């Protein structure tokens, strides 16, 4: 059985990723585009990031609420991997310069959060691998 504490840590990490997305979004909105008064991020990209941030927070909250069920569902084999990739995603978000990369990584975090929320370990493989590859492309391996 998975440790409830580790599932809560994962929810904390997803929530921290949402916080990091929010901080990056606010910075991008306040940052003017080179040579202009308009923000460095388009309204569409900003809206997409905001929506992903909200959904990611909802997924994290759902994981908090369902921690006991998820702990019993057999996620123990992937616990450390989930925690590691979520922490690296949070680090990547803090360093990403392009809105497209922020939107992509947010979408991958949402997919991972949805897979975790199912409580079915077999659904974790694809979103976890996709997020790991994206994070690896953005950050050097530790």
């Amino acid at each position: 059985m998975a440790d409830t504490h580790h599932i809560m840590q994962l929810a904390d990490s997803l929530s921290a990723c949402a916080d990091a997305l929010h901080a990056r979004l606010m910075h991008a909105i306040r940052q003017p585009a080179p040579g202009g008064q308009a923000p460095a991020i388009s309204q569409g990209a900003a809206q997409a990031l905001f929506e992903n941030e909200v959904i990611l927070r909802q997924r994290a909250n759902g994981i908090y609420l369902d921690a006991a069920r998820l702990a019993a569902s057999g996620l123990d084999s992937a616990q450390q991997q989930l925690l590691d990739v979520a922490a690296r995603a949070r680090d990547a978000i803090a360093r990403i310069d392009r809105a497209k990369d922020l939107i992509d990584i947010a979408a991958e975090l949402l997919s991972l959060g949805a897979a975790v929320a199912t409580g079915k370990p077999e659904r974790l493989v694809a979103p976890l691998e996709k997020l790991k590859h994206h994070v690896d492309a953005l950050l050097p391996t530790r």
Side-chain angles (χ1 to χ4, degrees):
M1 177 185 336
D3 182 354
T4 304
H5 175 73
H6 286 112
I7 299 296
M8 296 294 277
Q9 281 183 309
L10 176 60
D12 288 343
S13 286
L14 291 176
S15 184
C17 285
D19 290 343
L21 276 172
H22 181 79
R24 292 300 306 222
L25 175 59
M26 293 298 104
H27 176 75
I29 288 171
R30 289 189 301 264
Q31 186 74 26
Q37 297 297 326
I41 189 170
S42 72
Q43 183 176 353
Q47 184 63 37
L49 279 172
F50 177 72
E51 289 171 6
N52 285 344
E53 174 199 341
V54 170
I55 294 167
L56 190 55
R57 288 184 193 286
Q58 290 171 338
R59 295 254 165 84
N61 289 340
I63 292 170
Y64 285 124
L65 293 173
D66 293 338
R69 179 185 58 82
L70 292 171
S73 68
L75 296 178
D76 55 338
S77 64
Q79 279 182 50
Q80 193 58 52
Q81 219 177 357
L82 289 166
L83 292 171
D84 291 346
V85 78
R88 291 195 73 227
R90 187 178 60 246
D91 291 344
I93 289 166
R95 292 180 175 92
I96 293 172
D97 292 328
R98 294 177 351 146
K100 182 189 179 325
D101 288 330
L102 283 171
I103 292 168
D104 290 347
I105 209 162
E108 290 165 5
L109 284 163
L110 292 175
S111 293
L112 182 63
V116 169
T118 68
K120 297 181 179 174
E122 65 276 7
R123 292 196 179 166
L124 292 176
V125 176
L128 180 61
E129 287 303 312
K130 188 172 181 181
L131 180 59
K132 279 181 12 183
H133 289 304
H134 196 132
V135 169
D136 287 345
L138 295 169
L139 293 177
T141 305
R142 291 182 188 172

